[in-house]
Amino acid sequence: MSDNCIRNIVVVGGGSAGWMAAAALAKAFGNTRSIRLIESEQIGTVGVGEATVPHLKLFNQTLEIDEIEFVKNTQGTFKLGIQFVDWLRKGVAYVHGFGEIGHDNGVLPFYQYWLKLYKSGQVGDIGPFSLNTAAAPLGKFMASPSDVPPNSPLANIAYAYHFDAGRYAKYLRRYAQARGVKHTEGKIVQTLLRPQDGFVEAVVLESGEKITGELFIDCSGFRGLLIEQALHTGYEDWTQWLPCDRAVTVACETAGPPTPYTRATARDAGWQWRIPLQHRTGNGYVYSSPHISDDEAAATLLANLDARALGEPRVLRFTTGKRKKFWNRNVVALGLASGFMEPLESTSIYLVQSGIGKLISLFPQRDFDPELINRYNAQSHFEFDRIRDFLILHYNATERDDTPFWNYCRTMSIPEELADTIRLFRNSARFFRNAEEMFALTSWVQVMIGQGIVPQTYHPLVDQMPDAQLRQFVDGVGKVIATCVSAMPAHEQFSARHVAAPAA
Ligand SMILES: Cc1cc2nc3c(=O)[nH]c(=O)nc-3n(C[C@H](O)[C@H](O)[C@H](O)COP(=O)(O)OP(=O)(O)OC[C@H]3O[C@@H](n4cnc5c(N)ncnc54)[C@H](O)[C@@H]3O)c2cc1C
């Protein structure tokens, strides 16, 4: 290794972000670097963050984590998408499913063909044309079997997980420690900066121990111990577009088989999540504090549980937004320390994963080349901003006018790029994915349609298909999806056979 090589990495924080970072760095660098993770039991972790997106499978694969062992160890369940209830208007639900919509014929996305028939009243909603959105409400799930033809919808079933956040961090901790990550329990009370350039030199624990490092990963949660408290990086506040600023959470006993999807139900001043695990169900009401009191929010949450609450509701406060820099000097912030967007589309853990990936790609030397830092920050800003816009879409494209909160969301001004995206889709049914943004066409299209944005017209190329052939094509796709769904086992049955966890 050259003299310029970073040899000493310190991860501050042992929540999901800290242990994900430590595990991934240990996997990437083997024992060529010293990696130390510091956490404080006294402070604890945020203790939420239990619904994910399919990208996590890639993270696990990179770490060579066995899927079955992982799901069992975290009391996990499988997730085909998110069901949005009452978002467009009360009484209406749709599913944002992972995976494809319909069948790609190589000319246009399937939704363009569906749209022509839908607009003339010849077919119903788009949901039954996607394996995930059709299977999820029926409680069906399976992983793709190896013996189906590659063009079958069953060949590439996209799914994510729900898991117990505490068990996830413990699982990754065992993984990381087995690969040489050193663990220090203790509360950091001071951060020492190098006088010449303001880089972080060391952190000091309550015990007086001083821990030095060359690269610091700040995973200290909302407080941003290094990135904000020590380096004063600054924060961009997005409350004007994503007005929810608190969540009250409580777990409850399971009642009935676990659904293979997360449910997000719109409430008077925000929305409620429901995340089924094997041993319990996670619940939370994300709300806007100017529109509802903590007590009312807790009462609403408790009145809308499947079964008996396990413990007392807990209120968490946050400000939606992002750090002005995600990487500042020799500090890279990940997880809640880097910014926060509410868990409506389960994006936070994904952003940790994506941040780790970028950091490994742009891993610096001891001179901390500003080009690497600038690129990291530019990519991260882009990623955060596009996710922000996707979340705003859910709130803004609504017909709800029954509470002050929804009236605010429906009429608020939105970022220009989002307004352009909606206009393009509404006027001409087109969507363009920007570079490496997280959500693909299928996600945007499902949510735009689900939120009532039905395009005025469809792509002109659709008219080149004779009507009878068009009908046959769309009906045929619907039939294939229905046949596949009927062949899928119940989620509960699949889980019992493959991933049943030991009793909690
Ligand atoms: C209400 C809510 C719901 C969410 N739901 C989802 C979801 O469904 N899906 C999803 O992807 N994400 C979700 N998230 C986000 C997710 O919880 C976080 O991204 C994830 O848990 C990572 O948190 P963290 O590790 O950054 O912070 P934390 O879990 O808060 O960990 C911070 C760590 O820093 C340590 N620490 C802090 N200060 C010190 C100190 N002075 N000395 C030593 N150690 C210190 C703490 O001990 C702790 O170990 C949700 C977040 C909230 C608030």
Side-chain angles (χ1 to χ4, degrees), residues 12-18 38-41 43-52 165 186-189 219-223 225 247 249 273 275 286 316 318 334-337 340 343 346-350 352:
V12 172
S16 303
I38 309 167
E39 67 176 321
S40 159
E41 211 173 297
I43 292 175
T45 65
V46 72
V48 281
E50 310 202 314
T52 64
K187 185 172 166 190
I188 297 168
V189 289
C219 302
S220 62
F222 287 128
R223 53 179 53 76
L225 202 61
T249 73
W273 80 71
I275 301 177
V286 177
L316 295 163
F318 50 80
L334 291 174
L336 301 173
F340 182 66
S346 317
T347 43
S348 291
I349 291 170
Y350 163 77
V352 174

Side-chain angles (χ1 to χ4, degrees), residues 219-240:
C219 302
S220 62
F222 287 128
R223 53 179 53 76
L225 202 61
L226 308 186
I227 196 81
E228 198 57 57
Q229 293 185 8
L231 298 186
H232 309 293
T233 301
Y235 194 78
E236 196 177 306
D237 183 337
W238 287 339
T239 310
Q240 82 207 76

Side-chain angles (χ1 to χ4, degrees), residues 206-219:
E206 211 167 29
S207 63
E209 187 186 354
K210 182 170 143 187
I211 296 173
T212 56
E214 290 161 307
L215 171 66
F216 287 82
I217 320 278
D218 186 352
C219 302

